[in-house]
Amino acid sequence: MGLTDLANPTRFMSYSARIIPWLWALAVLVLGFGLYMALVVSPEDYQQGATVRIMYIHVPAAYMGMGAYTLIAISSIGTLVWRHPLADVSARAAAPIGAAFTFVALVTGSLWGKPMWGAWWVWDARLTSVLVLFLMYLGLIALWRAFDDPARGARIVAILALVGFVNIPIIKYSVEWWNTLHQPASLMRRDGPSMPPSMLVPLLVMLAGVSVLFVAMHLSAMRNEVLRRRVRAMQITAARAAATAGA
Amino acid sequence: MFHGVSFSVEGGHALALRGPNGVGKSSLLRLIAGLVRMDAGTLELAGGAPDVPLGEQAHYLGHLDALKPSLSVIENLGFWATFLSGREAAREDLEAALDAVGIGDLASLPARYLSAGQRRRLALARLAAVRRPVWMLDEPTSALDADGQRLLFALVGAHLSCGGIVVVATHVDLPFATTVLALEAMR
Amino acid sequence: MTALKALFARELALAVRIGGGALMAVVFFLIVVTVIPFGVGPDLNVLARIGPAILWIGVLLANLLAIDRLFQADQEDGSLDLIVMSPVPLEMTVAVKALAYWMTTGLPLTLAAPLFGMMLNVPPQALGAICLTLLAGTPALTFIGTIGAALTVVLRRGGLLLAILVVPLMIPVLIFGISATTAVITGPTPFLTPFLILVALSLFSLVLGPLAAAAALRASLD
């Protein structure tokens, strides 16, 4: 089974139907285990107390929000270079899921900040960057929805997605420049992670679980999108068939 | 714009407005429909409701089909049938009207997938769905194929045989036109 | 009544389906709220002080965003001719269309405003006041906007012109909406006085809007 086989929509539908139930089961298993470790086993923070456990949702959600945008950008290259219909289906299916994860990251980030800063929302650099990412997702979804014909919209939206992707680092550094009060990123440092293993392990399990969940949701959404396009094609055929029957 | 135009149409008859391009056939039709105000002159519908404007007792089929692409065929027709008559339109009546113009099979399809001729037929279905004594048609045959034209003529014929009045602006010969008003450009 | 109910249902369906822009105004509102702190800085005290003004101006602009299409879409596809010729009084048609626009734009903006207010650190009691003043004030914004939409219905690029025409007419609404809100936060003026004037402005535009818009539509069709 090569990549070219998967790229055929009919093949895609039959393979994905077989894989998806297993993916969902795996996602439930890993996430259940991760949540147990994160919410029960892992220690409380000596400063933040139990609030720190929001991190086990917040960080994976933020990571998936960015990961989904990366996937959209890669798919967009597929749309623009190879003009492959499944590439657009993939990008389109990833957008609402990525937006939802980004939204979860925003909400959990704001909940996390409440006890630390005393306000529901703080314009710190990372939270603000995630908000800008969320706005970019909404823009993509709105542009897709503005076209009746998905094939015509595909290349236009792919251009927007790539322009957005190129701009993400610029936006990120501009926002950090604007707000120098942000906390340093704590997961990856040159001198190794600053987090104790008792917290790092549950976080990594959650990251893995959310990744599997994303793949399961993405493949399911792609199937829905393929079916939606087939319905549309059948409706157009019905209109044309009625025209030839009437004449 | 118009000067010295005078005509009368009896029930069961059809008046054709003819003349070269740009002479104002469409404008005259819009004037009769009440969409454009008249500076002087009168319009009367004998036997109609005297205090209701003629436009509210007439169907107007313009160049545009007044359809929303995101609504289905039957939703488009149903809205106009209810809005123009003030009564909830029954689904059977709507389906009968769609059948009368030969697009009964497309009822649940979004209107955006229709071809120009199918859109025109859907606009015509409005005339069949709501009863009004006067029909004002602006180039009704445009975009219609031979089959569509036949259905249009049947629809108009049925309307005329019930004593209805038709005023049509056209540049082609229409078999149902009983009287012709030839418009001339003003010098 | 049946005809107006059918019109209302159609307007809602058109706003919600593909190609309609029911929630676009809320997204635009979020963008306005996001952009302001980049200008004034992230200081929460400053944002809390100007928060009510940001929210009100954001709602005012977002509400204008799509209102130019209110009659233009019907004019372009020929629906407007049939609407004018129907037995339903044009004033009522305009009022129902404006009401449907408010349901899909003004109401979602009002519901989103407290949430966005939290992002600007607006104090909780003021969030309630903002929601209440917007609920009373957005109908006025919509119905005044309706007049602009009718005036510019036949113009190809009417959107920008519309904003220039109607924003001056919306200034009283803005003044009393914001002063009722700030009365709750800082005082010393009572909340009720500006709020009742705001309600009066809304009721007045509920009458003036449809009358003026219907007259403008009839004049445009000539």
PDB file of all heavy atoms in Angstrom, chain A residues 6 38 82 106 139 204 230 241:
ATOM      1  N   LEU A   6      -3.212   5.476  -1.329  1.00  0.00           N
ATOM      2  CA  LEU A   6      -4.036   6.206  -0.366  1.00  0.00           C
ATOM      3  C   LEU A   6      -4.601   7.472  -0.972  1.00  0.00           C
ATOM      4  O   LEU A   6      -5.629   7.977  -0.545  1.00  0.00           O
ATOM      5  CB  LEU A   6      -3.185   6.588   0.844  1.00  0.00           C
ATOM      6  CG  LEU A   6      -3.272   5.638   2.029  1.00  0.00           C
ATOM      7  CD1 LEU A   6      -2.422   6.165   3.158  1.00  0.00           C
ATOM      8  CD2 LEU A   6      -4.713   5.517   2.479  1.00  0.00           C
ATOM      9  N   ALA A  38      -2.333  12.312  34.955  1.00  0.00           N
ATOM     10  CA  ALA A  38      -2.254  13.764  35.106  1.00  0.00           C
ATOM     11  C   ALA A  38      -3.089  14.248  36.288  1.00  0.00           C
ATOM     12  O   ALA A  38      -2.676  15.125  37.045  1.00  0.00           O
ATOM     13  CB  ALA A  38      -2.727  14.450  33.824  1.00  0.00           C
ATOM     14  N   TRP A  82       0.403  19.739  -6.633  1.00  0.00           N
ATOM     15  CA  TRP A  82      -0.100  18.556  -7.345  1.00  0.00           C
ATOM     16  C   TRP A  82      -1.574  18.658  -7.677  1.00  0.00           C
ATOM     17  O   TRP A  82      -2.117  17.785  -8.322  1.00  0.00           O
ATOM     18  CB  TRP A  82       0.175  17.303  -6.516  1.00  0.00           C
ATOM     19  CG  TRP A  82       1.634  17.048  -6.340  1.00  0.00           C
ATOM     20  CD1 TRP A  82       2.493  16.617  -7.299  1.00  0.00           C
ATOM     21  CD2 TRP A  82       2.409  17.224  -5.160  1.00  0.00           C
ATOM     22  NE1 TRP A  82       3.763  16.518  -6.784  1.00  0.00           N
ATOM     23  CE2 TRP A  82       3.735  16.884  -5.466  1.00  0.00           C
ATOM     24  CE3 TRP A  82       2.111  17.653  -3.858  1.00  0.00           C
ATOM     25  CZ2 TRP A  82       4.766  16.957  -4.522  1.00  0.00           C
ATOM     26  CZ3 TRP A  82       3.118  17.706  -2.923  1.00  0.00           C
ATOM     27  CH2 TRP A  82       4.437  17.370  -3.264  1.00  0.00           C
ATOM     28  N   LEU A 106      -7.074  28.348  24.444  1.00  0.00           N
ATOM     29  CA  LEU A 106      -7.373  29.710  24.910  1.00  0.00           C
ATOM     30  C   LEU A 106      -8.148  29.662  26.218  1.00  0.00           C
ATOM     31  O   LEU A 106      -7.831  30.378  27.173  1.00  0.00           O
ATOM     32  CB  LEU A 106      -8.203  30.456  23.867  1.00  0.00           C
ATOM     33  CG  LEU A 106      -7.471  30.954  22.640  1.00  0.00           C
ATOM     34  CD1 LEU A 106      -8.449  31.561  21.655  1.00  0.00           C
ATOM     35  CD2 LEU A 106      -6.448  31.997  23.048  1.00  0.00           C
ATOM     36  N   GLY A 139     -10.598  32.883   9.865  1.00  0.00           N
ATOM     37  CA  GLY A 139     -10.517  33.452   8.525  1.00  0.00           C
ATOM     38  C   GLY A 139     -10.516  32.366   7.460  1.00  0.00           C
ATOM     39  O   GLY A 139     -11.234  32.454   6.456  1.00  0.00           O
ATOM     40  N   LEU A 204       3.714  14.007  28.439  1.00  0.00           N
ATOM     41  CA  LEU A 204       4.066  13.365  27.181  1.00  0.00           C
ATOM     42  C   LEU A 204       3.001  12.343  26.782  1.00  0.00           C
ATOM     43  O   LEU A 204       2.657  12.213  25.599  1.00  0.00           O
ATOM     44  CB  LEU A 204       5.446  12.698  27.288  1.00  0.00           C
ATOM     45  CG  LEU A 204       6.624  13.695  27.394  1.00  0.00           C
ATOM     46  CD1 LEU A 204       7.934  12.950  27.576  1.00  0.00           C
ATOM     47  CD2 LEU A 204       6.682  14.602  26.165  1.00  0.00           C
ATOM     48  N   ARG A 230     -19.420  14.210  -2.600  1.00  0.00           N
ATOM     49  CA  ARG A 230     -20.135  13.271  -3.474  1.00  0.00           C
ATOM     50  C   ARG A 230     -21.604  13.637  -3.554  1.00  0.00           C
ATOM     51  O   ARG A 230     -22.207  13.575  -4.625  1.00  0.00           O
ATOM     52  CB  ARG A 230     -19.972  11.853  -2.946  1.00  0.00           C
ATOM     53  CG  ARG A 230     -18.597  11.312  -3.246  1.00  0.00           C
ATOM     54  CD  ARG A 230     -18.515   9.837  -2.964  1.00  0.00           C
ATOM     55  NE  ARG A 230     -17.148   9.385  -3.170  1.00  0.00           N
ATOM     56  CZ  ARG A 230     -16.659   8.251  -2.721  1.00  0.00           C
ATOM     57  NH1 ARG A 230     -17.443   7.443  -2.029  1.00  0.00           N
ATOM     58  NH2 ARG A 230     -15.418   7.920  -2.953  1.00  0.00           N
ATOM     59  N   ALA A 241     -29.296  15.685 -15.375  1.00  0.00           N
ATOM     60  CA  ALA A 241     -30.080  14.570 -15.912  1.00  0.00           C
ATOM     61  C   ALA A 241     -31.510  15.017 -16.189  1.00  0.00           C
ATOM     62  O   ALA A 241     -32.093  14.663 -17.219  1.00  0.00           O
ATOM     63  CB  ALA A 241     -30.078  13.407 -14.918  1.00  0.00           C
TER      64      ALA A 241
END
